């Protein structure tokens, strides 16, 4: 297949051009081939790699974790225990975020529940102005 421009790569992967350039600058994507007029050109292997990166980002993996996963994908002889460890670490991060969001939801729910005086918005504004207030202090 013929090489194609960065705009085509963006269209095929759903990744914006500045993000593609960023991934190149940090080494997640290899430096592209260049035409005689210095335009970047890409091939299907770049499409596959960029989709891998996009999917990993959508699953919440950080850049360094993606770098490790790409290294494992590029070197199939490496022990798969590293992939399992990365998945376990990511799962622990997800569980931590869920716990924090659950606590946050409880606090915002208390702030959003209107009192008989209709002061829900006032309590929310007060809590946002002084984030040290716990939900117990705003009730």
């Amino acid at each position: 297949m013929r090489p194609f421009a960065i705009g085509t790569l963006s269209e095929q992967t759903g990744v914006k051009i500045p993000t593609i350039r960023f991934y190149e600058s940090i080494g997640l994507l290899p430096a592209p081939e260049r035409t005689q007029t210095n335009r970047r050109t890409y091939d299907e292997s770049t499409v596959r790699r960029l989709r891998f990166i996009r999917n990993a980002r959508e699953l919440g993996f950080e850049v360094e974790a993606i770098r490790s996963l790409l290294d494992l994908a590029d070197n199939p002889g490496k022990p798969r225990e590293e992939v399992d460890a990365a998945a376990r670490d990511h799962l622990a991060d997800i569980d931590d975020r869920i716990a924090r969001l659950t606590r946050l939801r409880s606090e915002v729910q208390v702030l959003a529940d209107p009192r008989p005086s209709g002061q829900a918005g006032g309590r929310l504004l007060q809590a946002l102005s002084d984030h040290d207030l716990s939900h117990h202090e705003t009730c």
Side-chain angles (χ1 to χ4, degrees), residues 42-112:
Y42 302 91
D43 60 19
E44 285 301 316
S45 67
T46 309
V47 171
R48 286 189 300 277
R49 188 173 186 91
L50 189 53
R51 284 180 179 152
F52 181 101
I53 295 166
R54 186 199 67 213
N55 291 337
R57 291 295 292 151
E58 286 176 356
L59 290 172
F61 283 95
E62 298 294 329
V63 168
E64 288 310 310
I66 294 170
R67 189 181 310 281
S68 297
L69 292 170
L70 285 167
D71 182 53
L72 290 167
D74 291 342
N75 299 289
K78 281 194 167 187
R80 291 293 162 203
E81 292 81 27
E82 292 180 42
V83 175
D84 296 341
R88 282 191 301 274
D89 290 346
H90 189 55
L91 185 58
D93 290 342
I94 291 170
D95 288 341
D96 181 56
R97 273 188 261 161
I98 289 171
R100 287 189 322 234
L101 285 170
T102 300
R103 285 191 303 273
L104 177 63
R105 186 186 189 292
S106 294
E107 291 181 20
V108 172
Q109 182 67 47
V110 167
L111 294 172

Side-chain angles (χ1 to χ4, degrees), residues 22-53:
F22 172 71
Y23 290 155
E24 289 171 1
S25 74
I26 63 171
L28 287 183
L29 287 176
E33 296 289 323
R34 299 276 183 157
T35 65
Q36 289 181 349
T37 58
N38 206 29
R39 295 187 70 191
R40 292 172 165 92
T41 62
Y42 302 91
D43 60 19
E44 285 301 316
S45 67
T46 309
V47 171
R48 286 189 300 277
R49 188 173 186 91
L50 189 53
R51 284 180 179 152
F52 181 101
I53 295 166

